[in-house]
Amino acid sequence: MRRAIDDLLGAYDKLIMDPVHGGIPLYRHEIQVIDHPLFQRLRNICQNDILSLVFPGATHSRFLHSIGVMHVGSRMFRAMINAYLRERQLSSQVELTLTQLDALDYLAKTIRLACLLHDSGHSSFSHQFTQARRIKDLMARPDRFQNLWHGVDTSTLYDAVPDELEHEHYSVRVAWDVLESVDLAEAGLHREDVLGIMETTNVQPSDTFCRHAETFWSFIAGADANAGALESASTPRLVMDLLSSIVSGEIDADRADYMLRDGFHSSVTIGGFNLDHLLSNLRFGWTVDEPWLGLAITQKGLGALEDFVYSRYQMYRKVYAHKTALGFDWLLREAINEVLEDPDTFDWVDLCLSRMDYFAELTDNFFWEAFRRKARQQPHSYSKCIVDRVKLEHLDTRENLENDRLNDHCAELAAMLETDPAEVVTCTMRARFSNIQDNFNGIKVLMREPVSRKRHLKRITDVSAFFSKFGDGTITHFYRRPALLRDDA
């Protein structure tokens, strides 16, 4: 209990200096996580695959991003606690009990660990790795999941074996090994609770979590805690869903950090949002009749949320979907497929994807060396394009182009160039924003009556027309292969 009070008051064991957030405090068990080899490997994985070929400053790693997400997630939870206490104390003098302090500390530390480990399963070049055709085939191998979890009972984590593994499944697997080596007992934490709020899992929380969840719900809902349709068994799930939304949701710590970090290192300030303003207007939202527990935004904070959404929208359009960046992503995927044609390379990557004692070998450096070897052996190769930064020749860009028009437009461009249609390649990025307006559980607006100050929640699109402007869309770039890849080269 003394430790919980010290931690909530700001005690920490180490301070990491971050270029985006400044000083980030760490607890002893978090230092142990960061020092683990499976986490240290994230130093050698770039946050934005090879975006640095377009934006030279974008060389930042998954390592620092993960620590930043932990920091933002902690700030989100604490900001909502602080706001709740301020508002409660305006109407009645409320003091936290030791039991409530212990519960808040437990949930805060669980969020921090889940945020810290949320991306620990990323492999070389982050998202582009799993989008390469040969890697997708490897990830979908029928016995991949069983090999990865050999000797571990996964029934407490998954109801069924996933059909195809994604990096989120590997993050859970990495977290399992990392947390096993950490003295969680000394910190008073449980591994299953951390894994339970990470993506893809379905975990029965510990008795400790269930006890703290009941305390937390009673603290938040107050006199309404036992009203409505809520059953005691449902409370831990409600709280786990809330914590999960902080780790991965429409307004989550991951998005908040990568938008600030990617913008900073890319020297791009498109849109922009104020994290402090956004956090100061986040609140706990709950209803006892559904029941529901999640994130809410104050009415006066809608402007901060609008900036957040617009910034994300513009980052996708102007940075992640940049015509040169998407072209290099295409070349990167083809280069990965190319080097995996070598049986030794293929077998080694296959082994690394199957066993945690080899997984740490899958870093950007491994593939850069493979690209260099291939480029020396075969000058007319995708690997040569990556090593020497040979760009695809950009021809055209279309938005929201229908699938049946894609091939037609390729043929039209080829005819204009008097070349084979196979020489025209396309890259499409799909930006999904419909959840902003459609997902009722994702975010709600906290309204208060003018006189009585009674609170109620409303759908975000019922309060602001801004969010109705966003929907799912696609940006498609058309390119011609570089001369060194063409048959006439």
Side-chain angles (χ1 to χ4, degrees):
M1 184 67 71
R2 178 70 253 176
R3 177 75 182 186
I5 295 173
D6 288 344
D7 291 345
L8 282 171
L9 290 175
Y12 57 87
D13 297 289
K14 188 174 184 178
L15 193 70
I16 285 182
M17 299 310 297
D18 175 61
V20 175
H21 301 294
I24 297 179
L26 299 173
Y27 300 130
R28 188 175 300 109
H29 61 279
E30 294 165 351
I31 298 170
Q32 294 172 0
V33 168
I34 291 171
D35 285 343
H36 193 284
L38 284 172
F39 192 89
Q40 285 291 312
R41 63 182 282 278
L42 297 178
R43 290 181 181 273
N44 299 309
I45 297 175
C46 192
Q47 168 76 6
N48 298 121
D49 49 78
I50 53 172
L51 188 65
S52 60
L53 295 184
V54 183
F55 300 94
T59 58
H60 51 298
S61 68
R62 286 277 162 186
F63 176 83
L64 199 50
H65 164 65
S66 297
I67 296 174
V69 174
M70 177 198 69
H71 180 63
V72 175
S74 180
R75 287 191 62 193
M76 287 177 68
F77 186 72
R78 287 170 182 257
M80 289 186 286
I81 291 292
N82 291 337
Y84 184 80
L85 288 174
R86 286 197 310 272
E87 292 169 0
R88 284 283 294 273
Q89 287 170 350
L90 289 176
S91 57
S92 60
Q93 294 301 316
V94 178
E95 294 184 1
L96 286 173
T97 66
L98 291 179
T99 301
Q100 290 169 335
L101 280 170
D102 199 25
L104 294 176
D105 178 67
Y106 188 89
L107 299 182
K109 287 180 177 175
T110 300
I111 290 171
R112 286 173 63 89
L113 281 178
C115 287
L116 184 61
L117 291 163
H118 84 288
D119 266 353
S120 58
H122 267 297
S123 296
S124 311
F125 303 114
S126 297
H127 291 286
Q128 295 306 317
F129 179 79
T130 54
Q131 293 181 28
R133 173 178 47 82
R134 286 179 174 268
I135 295 298
K136 286 179 72 70
D137 292 343
L138 279 174
M139 299 280 272
R141 201 182 70 185
D143 56 351
R144 176 71 61 198
F145 183 83
Q146 290 85 348
N147 289 341
L148 191 63
W149 287 93
H150 180 72
V152 179
D153 179 11
T154 60
S155 62
T156 59
L157 301 174
Y158 295 98
D159 295 331
V161 174
D163 294 330
E164 182 176 344
L165 298 189
E166 300 289 349
H167 77 270
E168 292 89 352
H169 295 99
Y170 279 87
S171 292
V172 174
R173 184 64 183 91
V174 168
W176 177 277
D177 275 12
V178 171
L179 294 176
E180 188 175 41
S181 69
V182 173
D183 189 4
L184 289 182
E186 194 274 338
L189 301 173
H190 295 269
R191 177 171 56 181
E192 62 264 37
D193 299 334
V194 178
L195 300 178
I197 61 173
M198 295 176 68
E199 289 185 273
T200 75
T201 62
N202 184 19
V203 174
Q204 178 65 36
S206 70
D207 292 340
T208 302
F209 185 96
C210 292
R211 185 178 71 253
H212 289 318
E214 293 286 352
T215 300
F216 178 75
W217 172 253
S218 298
F219 167 70
I220 293 298
D224 296 331
N226 297 319
L230 182 66
E231 298 178 359
S232 178
S234 304
T235 304
R237 176 47 53 192
L238 278 181
V239 176
M240 290 204 94
D241 289 344
L242 168 69
L243 304 191
S244 296
S245 70
I246 294 175
V247 179
S248 178
E250 281 306 308
I251 305 177
D252 60 18
D254 180 36
R255 286 190 175 100
D257 182 80
Y258 77 61
M259 285 196 297
L260 291 173
R261 194 171 301 279
D262 294 353
F264 174 84
H265 287 284
S266 302
S267 298
V268 174
T269 55
I270 298 170
F273 74 98
N274 188 317
L275 179 61
D276 292 335
H277 189 204
L278 179 64
L279 295 186
S280 69
N281 285 284
L282 281 181
R283 298 292 187 271
F284 294 116
W286 75 93
T287 55
V288 295
D289 50 343
E290 295 183 49
W292 177 82
L293 176 66
L295 301 183
I297 189 84
T298 66
Q299 189 173 11
K300 72 173 184 178
L302 279 174
L305 181 57
E306 290 169 359
D307 288 344
F308 178 85
V309 173
Y310 184 69
S311 177
R312 179 182 163 208
Y313 177 76
Q314 288 289 57
M315 283 292 289
Y316 269 95
R317 291 179 59 86
K318 304 301 184 183
V319 178
Y320 307 134
H322 188 283
K323 63 181 187 298
T324 309
L326 281 193
F328 275 121
D329 284 345
W330 185 86
L331 287 169
L332 175 63
R333 293 192 296 271
E334 293 303 318
I336 292 173
N337 292 330
E338 186 177 67
V339 298
L340 287 176
E341 292 173 358
D342 174 65
D344 290 339
T345 303
F346 181 89
D347 290 343
W348 177 249
V349 172
D350 186 26
L351 178 65
C352 291
L353 288 172
S354 295
R355 292 176 51 175
M356 278 296 102
D357 49 347
Y358 290 102
F359 185 67
E361 301 292 331
L362 282 181
T363 64
D364 294 359
N365 294 336
F366 171 82
F367 277 95
W368 275 112
E369 289 304 315
F371 295 156
R372 293 187 183 99
R373 286 195 303 272
K374 188 67 174 182
R376 288 194 296 268
Q377 298 165 1
Q378 189 176 335
H380 300 283
S381 63
Y382 297 108
S383 295
K384 182 69 171 177
C385 292
I386 294 296
V387 171
D388 289 351
R389 197 184 178 275
V390 179
K391 298 185 292 185
L392 293 174
E393 179 186 347
H394 183 255
L395 302 175
D396 194 15
T397 298
R398 295 294 176 93
E399 295 193 24
N400 301 322
L401 188 68
E402 298 292 338
N403 287 334
D404 57 357
R405 279 286 302 146
L406 193 110
N407 291 333
D408 291 342
H409 194 56
C410 286
E412 292 166 2
L413 291 171
M416 293 172 60
L417 294 169
E418 298 182 350
T419 188
D420 188 331
E423 297 301 323
V424 178
V425 299
T426 64
C427 297
T428 297
M429 173 166 281
R430 293 176 177 84
R432 297 179 174 88
F433 292 95
S434 59
N435 280 345
I436 292 294
Q437 55 178 312
D438 295 338
N439 188 357
F440 183 73
N441 288 324
I443 182 71
K444 296 181 184 179
V445 182
L446 177 63
M447 311 286 290
R448 291 192 180 275
E449 298 294 341
V451 179
S452 68
R453 306 300 295 165
K454 184 178 180 181
R455 57 178 296 281
H456 62 276
L457 299 169
K458 297 187 70 172
R459 287 177 59 98
I460 198 166
T461 48
D462 292 338
V463 180
S464 171
F466 175 85
F467 300 94
S468 300
K469 300 175 182 178
F470 297 93
D472 296 346
T474 61
I475 298 176
T476 302
H477 297 301
F478 295 82
Y479 309 86
R480 187 180 188 184
R481 294 171 184 266
L484 67 82
L485 294 177
R486 296 202 288 267
D487 294 335
D488 56 355

